[in-house]
Amino acid sequence: MSWSIVYTAAALQNKQQLTEQGFQTELEQTLHDVMANPNEGTELVGDLAGAYSQTIIAQHCVVYQILHEQHVVKVICIV
């Protein structure tokens, strides 16, 4: 079963900004990888416990939650 992806309002703004900076291909590849296997990301701790991170390029990453029951990856932000 494939995973669906949803974005917070902040993540959509971050996505637009990163695309405008010329990183659309890298971002799309990272999101594809996350949807293919969301558990491969780095599990975060502390205030972000329960969220995961996947590197796009050295200075940018996607922060997301896995909603297992809905089979959804929720992108919280792209930093």
Side-chain angles (χ1 to χ4, degrees):
M1 180 183 282
S2 64
W3 291 83
S4 299
I5 193 164
V6 297
Y7 299 89
T8 63
L12 285 174
Q13 284 184 328
N14 300 147
K15 183 179 178 186
Q16 181 65 34
Q17 290 170 346
L18 205 58
T19 298
E20 290 171 359
Q21 293 174 13
F23 297 109
Q24 181 174 354
T25 303
E26 294 88 345
L27 176 58
E28 287 177 4
Q29 181 61 50
T30 302
L31 293 172
H32 180 271
D33 294 345
V34 165
M35 288 175 52
N37 194 350
N39 293 309
E40 287 293 313
T42 302
E43 193 167 356
L44 302 176
V45 296
D47 291 342
L48 294 173
Y52 292 79
S53 151
Q54 183 84 3
T55 301
I56 301 169
I57 55 174
Q59 70 267 29
H60 296 290
C61 68
V62 175
V63 176
Y64 61 94
Q65 291 178 312
I66 303 170
L67 307 175
H68 291 280
E69 290 182 15
Q70 297 90 354
H71 223 64
V72 168
V73 172
K74 179 181 179 182
V75 178
I76 300 168
C77 66
I78 302 168
V79 293

